[in-house]
Amino acid sequence: MSLYIWFDFFLFILLFTLFVYVFTTVTITKLHKVYFLFHFFMMLWPLCQFATDITNDWWLQLYYVKMSFVSLSLLGGGWLLLTVFLTGNADKLGEKRLLLLFVPAIIAATGIIMNPFHSFIHPMEGGYIHRTYGPWFWFMIIILLSYFFTSLTFLFQALHSPKTSLTMKRRVKVTLWGIFVLAFFALLDLLFNVGLRNWLPIIPGLTSAGIFLSDLFFVFAIKRYNVFELVTIAHEDVINTIPYGILVLDENETIIEVNNAMQFFVNLSVGDHFDMEKFLEAGRIDGNGKSFLDTYNHRENTCHQIEIVVERDMTNYFIIQASPIVISGRNQIGRTITFQDVTQMRYLVKEINQQNEILQEQNDSLVSIRDELSKANQKLTEMALTDNLTKCYNRHYLTQQLTHEVMMNIQYKTSFSLILLDVDFFKAINDRYGHVVGDEVLYQIAQTIKQSIRSTDILARYGGEEFIIYLPHTNGQLAKQLAERLRLSVNSNPIIVEKGIAPLSITISIGVLAIEDFDHDYIPDNPEKHVIQLFATVDKALYQAKQNGRNRIEFAYIKENHKKNQFC
């Protein structure tokens, strides 16, 4: 068997790997379903091409050839559908339009399957490995070209529309590269392996290679620009509805978010480095610029602002406000810079300087604007630290908190404990009642836990239906009592979700880890890695609780020294 036959199968394996990668790393939405449908059609082509080349049965060869071209026909419709979703036009796509979108592909696929009078394909040399194509093949090519140019229309409209965000324009450009790569390789396949087959040797895998390379562009657009991230979409909705420029910077002054209104102030993009001092040099500072920069550069955990005057075609006035994003009340992980154009207000103040009443209204408006910006900043901070569904802290926050707390506990030999709990048979609840009811169950369980723990304890959503609790100054005996109280509290409080559904009795499995025996000479070199090891240890206890029948508590013990962790 020739090695080139395995090229299509190799590309199928790569496409399947990308399919699994996207499926396991994103949250399922309608857009995901469209992508997976599109990806499925892509995988069928190289698989069927490979299957055609390895069988000697002419009937199976015909079957696989038909399947590969059916998948190619439907791939055109899938491509156009994914383009509609990626460009934000899904709201215009009703059931009738969705059906009409796939009608040409279905017609082409029907003709391919029926192959009347060999109008699509005709065998050569007693099989279909070598074949000739009829008029229906060219009809299918015309349909695919129509899908291609329609997709280009949507993409170019989104690219040149002033309403399209910068992030969407970037992913549209990547998508355009993907569609051009696929079209290029498909046309090469059509030219060399169909048009010039009588003069040139067959070049295998051209269309398969184009499909794989174009899918790489799609996966890059998905992961690089967070096409499927629900939290990111909600985050963009919040900051893009505010009529003031907003930059979100990380601790290295790199831009990680910029809203639509920012383009009216300065042309900056995600990933750019923001230099406040250089930015202020572009205008005239109205106020104490040195004091503002000193406070800014020292990263003080306070909000501070300054007004800058920029001379362009006319004199413009801007208020710049810098607000820190902090965790644990002291650790700054970034900041939010807001830009407010107050040019018109300044001109009004100058013109009506004698009208105290109007001046007071302008001042009140400024206070209101500051409050709105402060609330927006607070909202952004909460989104970064809390879980959107349960309103608990998220795992990232708890990890950052424990990185500091654990070092303090080890240094002062202070006992502490971790409780990791999992909702028993939660998947069955989702399967029977739906994810809306499942989300309500998680929310109510989180509220029950909050009422059952102490004010000093920290509750966070660990992931899925798992919650983790940090218990400071708590030894193993007390941690056991608190864990049992949690288990009984959840078990004795049936959850009311919807009318017509009986209250749900919920049980939880619990793993408990107590750290109370310290080695006087041991200090972890990597606190964050040490915290992750603690998570892994308590997770083993939770796993043991589930293995031993659920609705129970299992314990892990760890000694803070150089020895291996001991699990019981």
Side-chain angles (χ1 to χ4, degrees):
M1 184 183 297
S2 178
L3 290 177
Y4 80 81
I5 293 176
W6 292 90
F7 182 67
D8 283 300
F9 184 72
F10 174 70
L11 290 175
F12 165 75
I13 294 298
L14 291 178
L15 285 168
F16 182 76
T17 302
L18 287 175
F19 181 88
V20 173
Y21 169 69
V22 175
F23 185 85
T24 57
T25 57
V26 296
T27 307
I28 300 299
T29 65
K30 289 184 178 179
L31 182 55
H32 292 87
K33 295 176 182 177
V34 172
Y35 172 78
F36 292 137
L37 175 66
F38 167 69
H39 196 115
F40 175 75
F41 292 147
M42 287 194 296
M43 290 192 299
L44 282 180
W45 171 268
L47 179 62
C48 292
Q49 290 290 302
F50 168 74
T52 302
D53 291 333
I54 65 173
T55 181
N56 294 320
D57 189 324
W58 70 268
W59 188 90
L60 285 177
Q61 290 175 357
L62 176 61
Y63 173 78
Y64 291 134
V65 169
K66 286 182 177 181
M67 284 298 297
S68 62
F69 279 97
V70 166
S71 69
L72 191 62
S73 299
L74 296 177
L75 178 61
W79 188 291
L80 179 57
L81 181 62
L82 184 60
T83 301
V84 170
F85 271 80
L86 285 175
T87 54
N89 292 296
D91 56 334
K92 303 176 183 177
L93 195 65
E95 292 183 0
K96 292 183 178 179
R97 290 186 177 181
L98 178 61
L99 179 62
L100 290 174
L101 185 149
F102 274 97
V103 165
I106 294 174
I107 293 174
T110 302
I112 292 170
I113 294 172
M114 296 180 65
N115 193 23
F117 307 107
H118 296 288
S119 60
F120 170 67
I121 192 173
H122 193 278
M124 294 178 62
E125 302 176 7
Y128 287 89
I129 294 179
H130 300 288
R131 50 195 178 263
T132 59
Y133 297 101
W136 196 266
F137 170 81
W138 297 105
F139 175 71
M140 179 202 71
I141 295 299
I142 292 173
I143 288 178
L144 289 177
L145 287 174
S146 67
Y147 279 126
F148 171 74
F149 287 111
T150 305
S151 297
L152 287 183
T153 301
F154 278 103
L155 291 170
F156 279 114
Q157 284 178 349
L159 193 61
H160 294 95
S161 173
K163 297 181 180 179
T164 304
S165 67
L166 294 177
T167 301
M168 179 174 287
K169 286 184 178 180
R170 292 192 185 100
R171 69 186 185 220
V172 165
K173 289 180 181 178
V174 176
T175 305
L176 278 171
W177 275 106
I179 193 172
F180 280 128
V181 166
L182 177 56
F184 174 75
F185 276 85
L187 289 175
L188 285 182
D189 198 349
L190 187 65
L191 175 63
F192 289 113
N193 297 334
V194 179
L196 302 176
R197 68 181 184 275
N198 295 327
W199 300 277
L200 296 175
I202 296 296
I203 303 176
L206 283 176
T207 299
S208 299
I211 288 174
F212 171 69
L213 292 175
S214 67
D215 192 48
L216 285 180
F217 280 99
F218 266 100
V219 173
F220 176 78
I222 289 168
K223 300 305 294 182
R224 173 65 177 82
Y225 300 113
N226 298 324
V227 176
F228 293 156
E229 292 293 337
L230 298 179
V231 175
T232 302
I233 295 171
H235 172 80
E236 290 181 355
D237 288 340
V238 171
I239 67 172
N240 284 328
T241 54
I242 299 175
Y244 312 113
I246 294 180
L247 291 178
V248 181
L249 311 178
D250 65 11
E251 57 186 2
N252 299 316
E253 300 296 300
T254 300
I255 299 173
I256 60 175
E257 188 59 88
V258 55
N259 72 336
N260 292 338
M262 193 64 209
Q263 60 184 318
F264 298 106
F265 300 92
V266 63
N267 185 22
L268 291 172
S269 305
V270 173
D272 293 344
H273 179 77
F274 181 73
D275 188 333
M276 176 63 78
E277 186 171 357
K278 184 177 180 181
F279 177 80
L280 294 180
E281 290 176 355
R284 173 169 50 86
I285 297 176
D286 187 4
N288 191 339
K290 185 178 183 303
S291 175
F292 174 83
L293 284 174
D294 288 343
T295 304
Y296 185 90
N297 292 329
H298 283 87
R299 295 183 173 273
E300 297 183 8
N301 291 343
T302 58
C303 295
H304 42 287
Q305 68 179 34
I306 195 170
E307 185 169 325
I308 182 173
V309 183
V310 179
E311 301 290 345
R312 297 176 179 170
D313 297 335
M314 59 178 292
T315 302
N316 294 278
Y317 299 85
F318 302 102
I319 290 180
I320 303 173
Q321 185 181 63
S323 303
I325 301 176
V326 298
I327 59 174
S328 307
R330 53 185 177 273
N331 298 326
Q332 186 175 146
I333 61 174
R335 52 180 144 206
T336 304
I337 313 296
T338 56
F339 298 78
Q340 177 193 354
D341 187 348
V342 294
T343 303
Q344 184 178 5
M345 185 183 68
R346 288 291 177 261
Y347 283 127
L348 288 174
V349 170
K350 290 179 180 179
E351 292 176 3
I352 57 175
N353 193 39
Q354 303 301 320
Q355 303 179 28
N356 293 330
E357 182 179 351
I358 298 179
L359 179 61
Q360 184 62 45
E361 291 176 357
Q362 293 295 327
N363 290 335
D364 293 342
S365 175
L366 180 59
V367 171
S368 176
I369 290 172
R370 291 175 182 172
D371 290 343
E372 183 180 350
L373 289 174
S374 178
K375 291 177 181 178
N377 294 336
Q378 183 179 0
K379 179 68 174 179
L380 291 171
T381 302
E382 290 176 356
M383 291 178 66
L385 302 180
T386 59
D387 175 60
N388 188 50
L389 172 63
T390 62
K391 309 306 178 185
C392 303
Y393 288 113
N394 57 28
R395 182 174 176 176
H396 172 73
Y397 169 80
L398 183 63
T399 302
Q400 294 295 325
Q401 180 76 6
L402 284 181
T403 299
H404 172 75
E405 291 279 345
V406 166
M407 293 300 295
M408 294 293 292
N409 290 335
I410 293 175
Q411 181 178 355
Y412 294 105
K413 309 300 182 283
T414 304
S415 299
F416 66 96
S417 299
L418 293 174
I419 292 178
L420 181 61
L421 61 92
D422 179 90
V423 181
D424 294 334
F425 305 108
F426 182 73
K427 183 178 183 300
I429 297 175
N430 274 338
D431 292 343
R432 182 175 181 181
Y433 301 105
H435 289 278
V436 173
V437 170
D439 289 348
E440 178 64 21
V441 168
L442 290 178
Y443 174 78
Q444 292 197 33
I445 288 176
Q447 304 315 304
T448 300
I449 295 173
K450 287 180 181 179
Q451 295 173 5
S452 302
I453 61 177
R454 303 166 301 184
S455 60
T456 55
D457 300 333
I458 299 177
L459 169 65
R461 187 178 180 186
Y462 191 71
E465 64 270 23
E466 293 182 335
F467 296 87
I468 190 166
I469 307 170
Y470 167 59
L471 309 172
H473 304 283
T474 305
N475 58 25
Q477 185 62 34
L478 181 55
K480 294 177 185 178
Q481 296 175 7
L482 292 172
E484 180 64 17
R485 185 168 72 185
L486 283 175
R487 189 187 68 82
L488 293 175
S489 180
V490 172
N491 195 19
S492 62
N493 286 278
I495 295 177
I496 300 174
V497 288
E498 291 182 358
K499 293 182 178 179
I501 299 178
L504 304 179
S505 295
I506 304 297
T507 62
I508 57 176
S509 299
I510 299 177
V512 179
L513 170 64
I515 297 89
E516 53 188 2
D517 188 7
F518 296 91
D519 189 320
H520 291 277
D521 299 326
Y522 175 59
I523 298 295
D525 296 329
N526 189 328
E528 185 170 351
K529 181 178 180 181
H530 185 74
V531 169
I532 294 174
Q533 291 174 345
L534 296 181
F535 287 165
T537 303
V538 73
D539 188 61
K540 291 180 180 178
L542 173 61
Y543 177 79
Q544 192 68 34
K546 291 190 289 186
Q547 289 293 106
N548 291 340
R550 293 184 172 87
N551 191 21
R552 61 182 290 116
I553 301 170
E554 295 290 345
F555 306 95
Y557 301 94
I558 187 169
K559 183 177 181 181
E560 295 292 356
N561 58 19
H562 296 88
K563 298 179 182 178
K564 186 177 179 181
N565 295 343
Q566 300 173 356
F567 172 70
C568 302

